[in-house]
Amino acid sequence: MKQTTHTLLMVEPVAFGFNEQTARNNYFQQRVAVDKRIQVQQDARNEFNVMVNALRSQGVRVIVVCDRRKPHTPDAVFPNNWISFHFGGRVALYPMFAPSRRAERRLDVLDILKENGFQIREVRDYSSAEKEHRFLEGTGSMVLDRTNRIAYASLSERTDLELFHDFCRDFDFWPVVFHSFQTVGDSRLPVYHTNVMMSVAEQYAVICLEAIDFPEEKERVVKTLERSGKIIVPITEQQMHCFAGNVLQVNNQEGKQFLVISQSAFDSLSGQQRELLEKFNPLIVVPVPTIEQYGGGSVRCMITEVFYPQ
């Protein structure tokens, strides 16, 4: 199975902004002043459009769905948390930690994909776990090595161990579980999503090993990556805070691979790190500072990969 895809789903924001509910455990977010909310939405929409155009200019297919004004969903620009697509026409819907994010789940998105020539054979819905206060936020909670059928998950309030194992069983992945932390003030607190501290590409993996505090867990993750043939590109915790781990390898419709990375993440990398990544694939560098600052997520969070058979 392929690790990357040439078709991406993205949701254009119409009411983007700081979300109090997600800020409870997303320490990447920064509060926005009330008088700046309209400007923040405008800037976020501009950044979204720049990113879509950058992807399309390289031959990557992007299906854009516009968010709705009601109900209010300030994080709709991050659709990879509530839905994922898999080979064979399989779909997964996920339980979300923040009540405001649960309204992002839209079945009409499946209709839009059908209209774009994709077949849907099965929808696996885990969202009922919200009633039990258990959550698994899609490919934010999990980083998937689709080729080797390995799923990595850093446990947090948003990533429930039992649900993760359910997903791995249902979608045929081998689970690799660990904990990752970031320094917030004087405390070490859980990183809210796995995909902000690591990314698995076809040939390599970008990962913040400094965030994995338990030596035995770090060793297990490193050995699993190495055994699956990945070259490890380590980043520092400071680089993680610049979203250097929130990157995604994609390919265009001719099969050429790229790494999508934000400007802030790119700027945080050393020359040696940039050179290493560019040996594997060209970089598509896009500025999304507003979305990063107030949403607490970056380019990978904005992308839902589509692997449907056409």
Side-chain angles (χ1 to χ4, degrees), residues 71-91:
H72 179 56
T73 49
D75 293 298
V77 74
F78 304 133
N80 79 308
N81 298 143
W82 67 265
I83 190 168
S84 65
F85 306 113
H86 303 266
F87 291 102
R90 305 185 73 198
V91 184

Side-chain angles (χ1 to χ4, degrees), residues 8-297:
L8 312 176
L9 172 70
M10 298 180 64
V11 177
E12 182 179 0
V14 299
F16 174 81
F18 178 84
N19 188 337
E20 293 279 359
Q21 295 177 4
T22 56
R24 274 186 50 188
N25 50 31
N26 180 345
Y27 309 111
F28 292 79
Q29 288 178 249
Q30 299 178 39
R31 192 175 302 275
V32 59
V34 175
D35 60 346
K36 292 184 178 180
R37 288 179 181 173
I38 294 177
Q39 187 62 51
V40 163
Q41 158 57 25
Q42 292 174 347
D43 291 345
R45 190 171 189 173
N46 290 337
E47 292 169 9
F48 174 89
N49 289 328
V50 167
M51 180 170 164
V52 169
N53 291 335
L55 290 164
R56 287 175 172 169
S57 71
Q58 296 296 340
V60 181
R61 184 184 183 200
V62 183
I63 300 172
V64 173
V65 175
C66 191
D67 185 24
R68 303 166 295 185
R69 294 197 176 275
K70 292 184 179 182
H72 179 56
T73 49
D75 293 298
V77 74
F78 304 133
N80 79 308
N81 298 143
W82 67 265
I83 190 168
S84 65
F85 306 113
H86 303 266
F87 291 102
R90 305 185 73 198
V91 184
L93 303 177
Y94 298 99
M96 307 290 286
F97 169 79
S100 62
R101 297 210 61 190
R102 297 168 192 173
E104 294 174 30
R105 289 192 297 264
R106 297 169 49 181
L107 294 182
D108 66 309
V109 169
L110 300 182
D111 295 329
I112 291 170
L113 285 172
K114 289 178 183 178
E115 293 168 3
N116 279 271
F118 294 99
Q119 302 172 15
I120 297 174
R121 297 195 173 102
E122 178 188 3
V123 177
R124 181 77 60 153
D125 189 352
Y126 301 97
S127 61
S128 62
E130 290 167 350
K131 299 174 184 177
E132 303 167 359
H133 303 286
R134 296 189 301 125
F135 313 105
L136 184 71
E137 298 193 335
T139 52
S141 289
M142 305 175 290
V143 172
L144 304 180
D145 180 344
R146 296 176 187 268
T147 302
N148 294 294
R149 311 309 297 168
I150 301 170
Y152 298 87
S154 174
L155 300 183
S156 70
E157 282 189 281
R158 304 194 190 191
T159 305
D160 178 82
L161 178 60
E162 184 179 348
L163 282 175
F164 175 56
H165 281 294
D166 288 345
F167 169 87
C168 289
R169 183 189 65 247
D170 295 340
F171 285 84
D172 191 27
F173 282 90
W174 178 265
V176 176
V177 179
F178 59 99
H179 298 79
S180 61
F181 301 89
Q182 63 189 114
T183 300
V184 182
D186 297 326
S187 302
R188 291 289 281 173
L189 300 178
V191 175
Y192 80 106
H193 274 164
T194 312
N195 78 353
V196 295
M197 55 80 60
M198 74 177 294
S199 176
V200 173
E202 184 176 292
Q203 313 92 336
Y204 60 92
V206 178
I207 183 169
C208 181
L209 294 173
E210 291 181 2
I212 307 177
D213 290 358
F214 302 128
E216 66 278 8
E217 293 186 349
K218 184 183 299 186
E219 182 181 10
R220 182 166 65 249
V221 171
V222 168
K223 284 186 176 180
T224 303
L225 289 169
E226 290 177 341
R227 287 170 181 165
S228 60
K230 307 300 181 187
I231 294 174
I232 294 176
V233 181
I235 58 172
T236 66
E237 186 172 335
Q238 183 178 2
Q239 290 172 328
M240 178 185 75
H241 280 275
C242 296
F243 295 100
N246 197 239
V247 297
L248 183 68
Q249 189 181 54
V250 301
N251 61 272
N252 64 16
Q253 297 183 70
E254 297 176 351
K256 183 177 181 179
Q257 291 179 321
F258 301 87
L259 181 70
V260 189
I261 181 170
S262 76
Q263 186 69 59
S264 62
F266 178 81
D267 291 343
S268 77
L269 298 178
S270 67
Q272 187 177 11
Q273 287 170 315
R274 295 177 189 175
E275 184 178 348
L276 178 57
L277 291 173
E278 288 171 339
K279 283 183 179 179
F280 295 114
N281 43 222
L283 309 184
I284 299 177
V285 183
V286 290
V288 289
T290 306
I291 292 172
E292 290 177 330
Q293 181 177 357
Y294 301 116

